[in-house]
Amino acid sequence: MKLYDELVARGLLAQLTDEKEIAEMINAGKATFYIGFDPTADSLHVGHFMALLLMKRLQAAGNKPIALVGGGTAMIGDPSGRSDMRSMMTVERIDHNVECFKKQMSRFIDFGEGKAQIVNNGDWLRDLNFLDFMRDIGSSFNVNEMLRARCYQNRMQDGLSFLEFSYMLMQSYDFYRLYQDYGCQMQFGGDDQWSNMLGGINLIRKKLQKDAYAMTISLLLKSDGTKMGKTAGGAVWLDPDKYKPYDFYQYWRNVDDSDVLKFLRMMTFLPLEQIDEMDKWEGAQLNTAKSILAYELTSLVHGDDEAKKAEAGAKAIFMGAGSLDTVPSVELTAEDFNENEAIEIMDLLVKTEQCKSRSEARRAIDKDHSISVGDDKIDDIKYEVKKADIPEEGLLIKKGKKNIKKVIVK
């Protein structure tokens, strides 16, 4: 199967402008393409992960990726899919986040000489002269057409700032610069970026020549990504210090039955024939498919060793097999215990980060009845875990079936 046909079969493509040309170019390994990443945090997350996996697939076929980090556009904030305006970040914070992104991207993409490139749009956006930019670029955009763009719809009722309104011009200008300076003929992005990407194509064709060779593909990154990569505790980060490998494994191990095969196709490198066979699986076999998904993705992000540890920890908890050594642990020190050599359950849940606050812990105990200590269900908000009752190998604290931590005494 050729690469383009595989991307279609894996459910990755939503819409594109020049299907025949795109297919021929990526199948021949002759595309130079870019995907943008705005550094709004100091770690990439699962939504970025899908884009990186696509870059990895295309690079393996000989195509050249450009990872565009938004050191300039992050100073504005993309309004796409937003109901409110993003918080302003300092230049120092943006630059720090850019460096964090670069390190993480290297796990997935080969940035060796003559291969992939990391480019920062801050190099051209931060020093733009406003009047020159508006005369040269702004004159190419029709405001009536811009107002119909999907990326602005969620912001129109509550008020769209001119700052956010200018984002389309900036992103379009990115493609224009990459086309001119790096020979980039193709752009990829989530389906919520479609209007912005079309803006880039139109700008190139107006400014350079009517038949300028610029193409775009919109991927099912956002429409499928919005319901994933989010937990009660926040985003699913790729940085192991922000989201531990075991928790990453468990996130994918607990996806909905209806999503497991879709994510196997979109995000793993398993042969499609093997995944198609899983279409016949039912009942307990779906749990096996989820374990395969969790292992494959954890291995891609954190390496085989961490994937094996996470898998072993899951088996130890849910199947009673193996050691609890790999279950994420939280150390309790003398300062955590009161004068009775015990710790209140609400304080313990905050300490293990299974609840953000004592009030959230109270709800989990008193209303949701979702807390267990060892094998005991806890319904009393005044319950205390005694230091003497915590075994040397640790004590499991469970919030529901999925959020499990082990506490040990240091």
Side-chain angles (χ1 to χ4, degrees), residues 145-365:
E145 292 178 3
M146 292 177 68
L147 289 172
R148 289 194 291 269
R150 177 182 171 187
C151 61
Y152 295 134
Q153 292 307 306
N154 290 344
R155 300 287 290 119
M156 291 299 291
Q157 291 183 346
D158 298 326
L160 177 71
S161 71
F162 182 78
L163 181 69
E164 296 170 289
F165 190 58
S166 68
Y167 192 91
M168 181 185 291
L169 276 67
M170 300 295 179
Q171 183 170 332
S172 299
Y173 186 63
D174 283 345
F175 192 22
Y176 174 73
R177 288 297 299 262
L178 291 171
Y179 181 88
Q180 284 192 295
D181 300 347
Y182 295 88
C184 178
Q185 327 101 315
M186 197 178 298
Q187 54 184 334
F188 288 74
D191 61 347
D192 64 336
Q193 295 291 312
W194 185 245
S195 298
N196 292 340
M197 293 191 292
L198 290 179
I201 291 177
N202 291 334
L203 178 61
I204 290 172
R205 290 175 176 168
K206 286 179 180 178
K207 296 297 296 180
L208 301 179
Q209 54 190 49
K210 290 184 178 180
D211 59 345
Y213 198 53
M215 301 178 291
T216 183
I217 292 181
S218 178
L219 300 170
L220 282 172
L221 297 181
K222 279 288 185 179
S223 56
D224 280 282
T226 48
K227 71 173 181 177
M228 70 177 213
K230 297 288 185 182
T231 70
V236 177
W237 304 104
L238 304 192
D239 184 340
D241 293 330
K242 293 173 74 74
Y243 203 82
K244 296 191 180 302
Y246 175 84
D247 295 329
F248 189 86
Y249 178 96
Q250 283 299 113
Y251 175 80
W252 297 108
R253 175 62 181 76
N254 291 297
V255 299
D256 291 342
D257 289 356
S258 59
D259 287 333
V260 60
L261 291 177
K262 175 175 65 181
F263 290 154
L264 279 166
R265 289 189 177 97
M266 293 178 74
M267 302 182 71
T268 76
F269 289 83
L270 295 175
L272 283 168
E273 295 79 10
Q274 179 181 347
I275 300 171
D276 289 342
E277 282 295 312
M278 298 181 195
D279 266 329
K280 306 169 186 174
W281 291 6
E282 297 178 350
Q285 286 182 307
L286 282 176
N287 288 329
T288 300
K290 292 180 184 181
S291 295
I292 293 171
L293 173 68
Y295 185 91
E296 291 293 323
L297 298 187
T298 305
S299 179
L300 279 167
V301 174
H302 299 294
D304 281 340
D305 288 345
E306 290 295 341
K308 289 174 182 176
K309 289 178 185 178
E311 184 179 55
K315 288 180 178 178
I317 292 173
F318 298 107
M319 301 174 64
S323 168
L324 293 176
D325 291 344
T326 56
V327 178
S329 62
V330 176
E331 291 185 347
L332 300 179
T333 64
E335 289 75 19
D336 294 312
F337 296 98
N338 59 27
E339 63 275 7
N340 298 320
E341 291 289 282
I343 180 171
E344 292 184 11
I345 184 62
M346 289 195 291
D347 290 332
L348 183 57
L349 290 169
V350 174
K351 177 73 176 179
T352 60
E353 297 182 349
Q354 290 165 291
C355 294
K356 292 182 178 180
S357 63
R358 282 175 59 90
S359 59
E360 183 180 323
R362 179 189 291 270
R363 289 194 299 272
I365 298 166

Side-chain angles (χ1 to χ4, degrees), residues 13-225:
L13 305 187
Q15 51 189 340
L16 48 146
T17 58
D18 304 87
E19 182 175 16
K20 182 175 180 292
E21 292 82 357
I22 289 172
E24 290 176 353
M25 186 171 286
I26 64 174
N27 286 341
K30 294 182 178 179
T32 297
F33 67 95
Y34 96 92
I35 299 180
F37 302 83
D38 270 354
T40 53
D42 59 0
S43 172
L44 297 163
H45 54 66
V46 163
H48 298 130
F49 180 43
M50 295 187 70
L52 289 167
L53 292 178
L54 174 70
M55 296 176 83
K56 186 177 178 70
R57 292 184 201 280
L58 289 163
Q59 185 175 46
N63 299 286
K64 293 184 179 180
I66 296 175
L68 182 69
V69 290
T73 42
M75 298 180 71
I76 298 175
D78 185 0
S80 301
R82 299 280 301 187
S83 59
D84 58 354
M85 186 171 171
R86 293 185 185 273
S87 300
M88 293 282 193
M89 294 191 298
T90 64
V91 171
E92 291 76 18
R93 182 182 171 191
I94 291 171
D95 289 344
H96 169 74
N97 293 348
V98 165
E99 292 305 312
C100 293
F101 274 28
K102 288 180 179 179
K103 290 177 183 178
Q104 288 183 317
M105 287 175 176
S106 297
R107 280 196 58 86
F108 307 96
I109 310 300
D110 185 355
F111 291 105
E113 186 175 352
K115 297 183 179 177
Q117 293 176 277
I118 295 180
V119 178
N120 187 339
N121 67 14
D123 292 343
W124 54 75
L125 291 179
R126 288 184 183 178
D127 294 328
L128 283 175
N129 177 284
F130 179 77
L131 290 178
D132 289 343
F133 179 76
M134 295 309 294
R135 283 170 61 91
D136 187 36
I137 304 300
S139 59
S140 298
F141 288 82
N142 183 297
V143 171
N144 291 338
E145 292 178 3
M146 292 177 68
L147 289 172
R148 289 194 291 269
R150 177 182 171 187
C151 61
Y152 295 134
Q153 292 307 306
N154 290 344
R155 300 287 290 119
M156 291 299 291
Q157 291 183 346
D158 298 326
L160 177 71
S161 71
F162 182 78
L163 181 69
E164 296 170 289
F165 190 58
S166 68
Y167 192 91
M168 181 185 291
L169 276 67
M170 300 295 179
Q171 183 170 332
S172 299
Y173 186 63
D174 283 345
F175 192 22
Y176 174 73
R177 288 297 299 262
L178 291 171
Y179 181 88
Q180 284 192 295
D181 300 347
Y182 295 88
C184 178
Q185 327 101 315
M186 197 178 298
Q187 54 184 334
F188 288 74
D191 61 347
D192 64 336
Q193 295 291 312
W194 185 245
S195 298
N196 292 340
M197 293 191 292
L198 290 179
I201 291 177
N202 291 334
L203 178 61
I204 290 172
R205 290 175 176 168
K206 286 179 180 178
K207 296 297 296 180
L208 301 179
Q209 54 190 49
K210 290 184 178 180
D211 59 345
Y213 198 53
M215 301 178 291
T216 183
I217 292 181
S218 178
L219 300 170
L220 282 172
L221 297 181
K222 279 288 185 179
S223 56
D224 280 282

